[in-house]
Amino acid sequence: MSNILPLDPNLEFNVEPIWDATYPPKYRVPEQTLRHKLINNTFLPELSFTLTNSFGPQAFIAAKADPYGVLFGEPNLNRIHISQFACTKLKHGKKLLEHLLAQVPKSQPIVFGQDQGHMFPGVPTECPELINLLESLGFHRDGDLAYDLERDLRDFSINPDWLTPLSEPDLQVKTCSPTDINALEEFFIREFPGRWHYDTVIEKCKEWKEFEDIIALWQGDSIEGFAYTQNYSTSHHPTAGYVWQEDLGPQSGALGPIGVSQRVRGRKLGGALLVAGLQHLQRLGVHRCIIDWTSLVDFYGKYGFRVNRRYQPMTRPANLD
Ligand SMILES: CC(C)(COP(=O)(O)OP(=O)(O)OC[C@H]1O[C@@H](n2cnc3c(N)ncnc32)[C@H](O)[C@@H]1OP(=O)(O)O)[C@@H](O)C(=O)NCCC(=O)NCCS
């Protein structure tokens, strides 16, 4: 006999064994990280459940609302996100997913991951049985795989030519400080409104005050590029791929997202900013470094980054009939 109950977002049950039964060890996360990710304005308590039997909780699912329109200020896509999902046995997971699907109107698409404060950009390809289960419930494989890339920065030797594009007199790369907030705001609204603006300016800088993890490319008085970095020493809120810290090992770090403005693209400044960001992490003593949720395998591959995780984006499309 099993029961489906509302999920307590404090996750006051033994979640780690359930998580570990679902995903390979490289996706292991501390309970605290899972809990923190559910303290989020988009968390949907009415669509988040646990399945319990006489042995205790056997599966859980946490849903979030579409961050677009709610947090990111762009048109709402009206999607429901499965932020966290785990089960000791697939049959328990199936029951929970069916329960969720029964509550969501057919006009609303459902996406695995990709929420604000996400764990997953898609389903890890090491979990084919989960991909099959989702397909059997009407989810579709939604486009190309997304990748996490990694390399060890201890043996990363920087070719000085990579940094040459930064030697023009009006260009400068610096870590940010609170006095840069207006320039950051102007740059992100101009170039990357939406998720990157929210994650970098609102959450990382204004809320967490972790300005020094943001590397900015300045041209005169204006910011024209950024790299979001994280490391074991100054970053206290692991985001995106940096949630896989246990697998990354001690003294790890992360870089990404990274972007340069439309007006300076194609001048090798993106590559140079990437190298400057990696140099910053190297100086902080970072060993293994992750660049997550990307399709640019060749761009990062030139600097020795190799794929370590692959995700299949999956969506249950809206059925407008
Ligand atoms: C990706 C980005 C930072 C690259 O910066 P850039 O200054 O335009 O690129 P660079 O001049 O440094 O290009 C370096 C090399 O990467 C390649 N490259 C650039 N953008 C690429 C892309 N989107 N896909 C594949 N390769 C790319 C270039 O062709 C160039 O190759 P080459 O050295 O063989 O000629 C920039 O295009 C950007 O901001 N894009 C939008 C944001 C984004 O997609 N960021 C990455 C998210 S993971």
Side-chain angles (χ1 to χ4, degrees), residues 110-147:
I110 308 177
V111 185
F112 191 93
Q114 303 188 7
D115 44 297
Q116 205 280 331
H118 69 278
M119 309 297 299
F120 297 111
V123 184
T125 57
E126 292 99 335
C127 304
E129 61 300 322
L130 178 53
I131 294 176
N132 290 342
L133 171 60
L134 288 165
E135 281 186 321
S136 75
L137 295 171
F139 283 73
H140 294 182
R141 294 176 194 229
D142 193 4
D144 296 337
L145 297 184
Y147 302 96

Coordinates of all heavy atoms in Angstrom, one line a residue, residues 110-147:
I110 N 5.1 20.6 -19.8 CA 5.9 20.2 -18.6 C 7.3 19.9 -19.1 O 7.5 19.1 -20.0 CB 5.3 18.9 -17.9 CG1 3.8 19.1 -17.6 CG2 6.1 18.7 -16.6 CD1 3.1 17.9 -17.0
V111 N 8.3 20.5 -18.4 CA 9.7 20.3 -18.8 C 10.5 19.7 -17.7 O 10.2 20.0 -16.5 CB 10.3 21.7 -19.0 CG1 11.8 21.6 -19.5 CG2 9.5 22.5 -20.0
F112 N 11.3 18.7 -18.0 CA 12.2 18.1 -17.0 C 13.4 19.1 -16.8 O 14.2 19.3 -17.7 CB 12.7 16.7 -17.4 CG 13.4 16.0 -16.3 CD1 12.6 15.1 -15.5 CD2 14.7 16.1 -16.0 CE1 13.2 14.4 -14.5 CE2 15.3 15.4 -15.0 CZ 14.6 14.6 -14.2
G113 N 13.5 19.6 -15.5 CA 14.6 20.5 -15.2 C 14.5 21.9 -15.8 O 13.3 22.4 -16.1
Q114 N 15.6 22.6 -16.0 CA 15.6 24.0 -16.7 C 14.9 25.0 -15.9 O 14.6 26.1 -16.4 CB 15.1 23.9 -18.1 CG 15.8 23.0 -19.0 CD 15.4 23.1 -20.5 OE1 14.6 23.9 -20.9 NE2 15.9 22.1 -21.3
D115 N 14.6 24.8 -14.6 CA 13.9 25.7 -13.8 C 14.9 26.7 -13.2 O 16.1 26.6 -13.4 CB 13.3 25.0 -12.6 CG 14.2 23.9 -12.0 OD1 14.5 23.0 -12.7 OD2 14.6 24.1 -10.8
Q116 N 14.5 27.8 -12.5 CA 15.4 28.7 -11.9 C 15.9 27.9 -10.6 O 15.1 27.4 -9.8 CB 14.8 30.0 -11.5 CG 15.8 31.1 -11.4 CD 16.5 31.2 -10.1 OE1 16.0 30.8 -9.1 NE2 17.7 31.7 -10.1
G117 N 17.2 27.8 -10.4 CA 17.7 27.0 -9.3 C 17.7 25.6 -9.7 O 17.4 24.7 -8.9
H118 N 18.0 25.3 -11.0 CA 17.9 23.9 -11.5 C 19.0 23.0 -11.1 O 20.1 23.4 -10.7 CB 17.9 24.0 -13.1 CG 19.2 24.3 -13.6 ND1 19.7 25.6 -13.8 CD2 20.2 23.6 -14.1 CE1 20.9 25.6 -14.3 NE2 21.2 24.4 -14.5
M119 N 18.7 21.7 -11.1 CA 19.7 20.7 -10.9 C 20.1 20.2 -12.4 O 21.2 19.9 -12.6 CB 19.2 19.5 -10.2 CG 18.5 19.7 -8.8 SD 19.6 20.5 -7.6 CE 20.8 19.2 -7.5
F120 N 19.0 20.1 -13.2 CA 19.2 19.4 -14.5 C 18.8 20.3 -15.7 O 17.7 20.8 -15.7 CB 18.4 18.1 -14.5 CG 18.7 17.1 -13.5 CD1 17.8 16.8 -12.5 CD2 19.9 16.4 -13.6 CE1 18.1 15.9 -11.5 CE2 20.2 15.4 -12.6 CZ 19.3 15.2 -11.6
P121 N 19.6 20.3 -16.8 CA 19.1 20.9 -18.0 C 18.3 19.9 -18.8 O 17.7 20.2 -19.8 CB 20.4 21.3 -18.8 CG 21.5 20.7 -18.0 CD 21.0 20.0 -16.8
G122 N 18.3 18.7 -18.4 CA 17.6 17.6 -19.1 C 17.8 16.3 -18.3 O 18.4 16.4 -17.2
V123 N 17.4 15.2 -18.8 CA 17.6 13.9 -18.1 C 19.0 13.4 -18.4 O 19.3 13.3 -19.6 CB 16.5 12.9 -18.5 CG1 16.7 11.6 -17.7 CG2 15.1 13.4 -18.4
P124 N 19.8 13.0 -17.4 CA 21.1 12.5 -17.6 C 21.0 11.3 -18.6 O 20.1 10.4 -18.3 CB 21.6 12.1 -16.3 CG 20.9 12.9 -15.3 CD 19.5 13.2 -15.9
T125 N 21.8 11.2 -19.6 CA 21.7 10.1 -20.5 C 22.1 8.7 -19.9 O 21.8 7.7 -20.5 CB 22.5 10.3 -21.8 OG1 23.9 10.5 -21.4 CG2 22.1 11.5 -22.6
E126 N 22.7 8.8 -18.7 CA 23.0 7.5 -18.0 C 21.7 6.9 -17.4 O 21.8 5.9 -16.8 CB 24.0 7.7 -16.9 CG 25.4 8.1 -17.3 CD 25.6 9.6 -17.2 OE1 24.6 10.4 -17.2 OE2 26.8 10.0 -17.0
C127 N 20.6 7.6 -17.6 CA 19.3 7.1 -17.0 C 18.3 6.8 -18.1 O 17.3 7.4 -18.2 CB 18.7 8.1 -16.0 SG 19.9 8.6 -14.7
P128 N 18.7 5.8 -19.0 CA 17.7 5.5 -20.1 C 16.4 5.1 -19.6 O 15.4 5.3 -20.3 CB 18.5 4.4 -20.9 CG 19.5 3.8 -20.0 CD 19.8 4.9 -19.0
E129 N 16.3 4.4 -18.5 CA 15.0 3.9 -18.0 C 14.1 5.1 -17.6 O 12.9 5.0 -17.8 CB 15.2 2.9 -16.9 CG 15.9 3.3 -15.6 CD 17.3 3.8 -15.7 OE1 18.1 3.2 -16.5 OE2 17.7 4.7 -15.0
L130 N 14.7 6.2 -17.1 CA 13.9 7.4 -16.8 C 13.5 8.0 -18.1 O 12.3 8.5 -18.2 CB 14.8 8.3 -15.9 CG 14.1 9.6 -15.5 CD1 12.7 9.4 -14.9 CD2 15.0 10.4 -14.5
I131 N 14.4 8.1 -19.1 CA 14.0 8.7 -20.4 C 12.8 7.9 -21.0 O 11.8 8.4 -21.4 CB 15.2 8.7 -21.3 CG1 16.2 9.7 -20.8 CG2 14.7 9.1 -22.8 CD1 17.5 9.7 -21.6
N132 N 12.9 6.5 -20.9 CA 11.8 5.7 -21.4 C 10.5 5.9 -20.7 O 9.4 5.9 -21.3 CB 12.2 4.2 -21.3 CG 13.3 3.9 -22.3 OD1 13.6 4.6 -23.3 ND2 14.0 2.8 -22.1
L133 N 10.6 6.0 -19.3 CA 9.4 6.2 -18.5 C 8.7 7.5 -18.9 O 7.5 7.5 -19.1 CB 9.8 6.2 -17.0 CG 8.7 6.6 -16.1 CD1 7.5 5.7 -16.1 CD2 9.2 6.7 -14.6
L134 N 9.5 8.6 -19.1 CA 9.0 9.9 -19.4 C 8.3 9.8 -20.8 O 7.2 10.3 -21.0 CB 10.0 11.0 -19.4 CG 10.4 11.3 -17.9 CD1 11.7 12.2 -18.0 CD2 9.4 12.1 -17.2
E135 N 9.0 9.1 -21.7 CA 8.4 8.9 -23.1 C 7.1 8.2 -23.0 O 6.1 8.5 -23.7 CB 9.4 8.2 -24.0 CG 10.5 9.2 -24.5 CD 11.4 8.6 -25.6 OE1 11.8 7.4 -25.4 OE2 11.8 9.4 -26.5
S136 N 7.0 7.2 -22.2 CA 5.8 6.4 -22.1 C 4.7 7.2 -21.5 O 3.5 6.9 -21.7 CB 6.0 5.1 -21.2 OG 6.1 5.5 -19.9
L137 N 5.0 8.3 -20.9 CA 4.0 9.2 -20.3 C 3.7 10.5 -21.1 O 3.1 11.4 -20.7 CB 4.4 9.6 -18.9 CG 4.5 8.5 -17.9 CD1 5.1 9.0 -16.5 CD2 3.1 7.9 -17.6
G138 N 4.2 10.5 -22.4 CA 3.9 11.5 -23.3 C 5.0 12.6 -23.5 O 4.8 13.6 -24.2
F139 N 6.1 12.4 -22.8 CA 7.2 13.4 -22.9 C 7.9 13.1 -24.3 O 8.0 12.0 -24.7 CB 8.2 13.3 -21.8 CG 7.8 13.9 -20.5 CD1 6.8 13.4 -19.7 CD2 8.4 15.1 -20.1 CE1 6.4 14.0 -18.5 CE2 8.0 15.7 -18.9 CZ 7.0 15.1 -18.1
H140 N 8.5 14.2 -24.9 CA 9.3 14.0 -26.1 C 10.7 14.4 -25.9 O 10.9 15.3 -25.0 CB 8.7 14.9 -27.2 CG 7.3 14.6 -27.7 ND1 6.7 15.3 -28.6 CD2 6.5 13.6 -27.2 CE1 5.5 14.7 -28.8 NE2 5.3 13.7 -28.0
R141 N 11.6 13.8 -26.6 CA 13.0 14.3 -26.6 C 13.0 15.7 -27.3 O 12.6 15.7 -28.4 CB 13.9 13.3 -27.3 CG 14.0 12.0 -26.6 CD 14.8 11.0 -27.3 NE 14.6 9.7 -26.7 CZ 15.5 8.8 -26.4 NH1 16.8 9.1 -26.6 NH2 15.2 7.7 -25.9
D142 N 13.5 16.7 -26.6 CA 13.3 18.1 -27.1 C 14.6 18.7 -27.5 O 15.3 19.4 -26.8 CB 12.7 18.9 -25.9 CG 12.1 20.2 -26.3 OD1 12.2 20.5 -27.5 OD2 11.7 21.0 -25.4
G143 N 15.0 18.3 -28.7 CA 16.2 18.9 -29.3 C 17.5 18.2 -28.9 O 17.5 17.1 -28.3
D144 N 18.6 18.9 -29.1 CA 19.9 18.3 -29.0 C 20.3 18.1 -27.5 O 19.8 18.8 -26.6 CB 21.0 19.2 -29.6 CG 20.8 19.3 -31.1 OD1 20.1 18.4 -31.7 OD2 21.2 20.3 -31.7
L145 N 21.3 17.2 -27.3 CA 21.8 17.0 -25.9 C 22.5 18.3 -25.4 O 23.0 19.1 -26.2 CB 22.9 15.9 -25.9 CG 22.4 14.5 -26.3 CD1 23.6 13.5 -26.1 CD2 21.2 14.0 -25.5
A146 N 22.4 18.5 -24.1 CA 23.2 19.6 -23.4 C 24.3 18.9 -22.7 O 24.2 17.7 -22.3 CB 22.3 20.3 -22.5
Y147 N 25.5 19.6 -22.6 CA 26.7 19.0 -22.0 C 27.2 19.8 -20.8 O 27.1 21.0 -20.8 CB 27.8 19.0 -23.1 CG 27.4 18.2 -24.3 CD1 26.9 18.9 -25.5 CD2 27.5 16.8 -24.4 CE1 26.5 18.2 -26.6 CE2 27.1 16.1 -25.5 CZ 26.6 16.8 -26.6 OH 26.2 16.1 -27.7

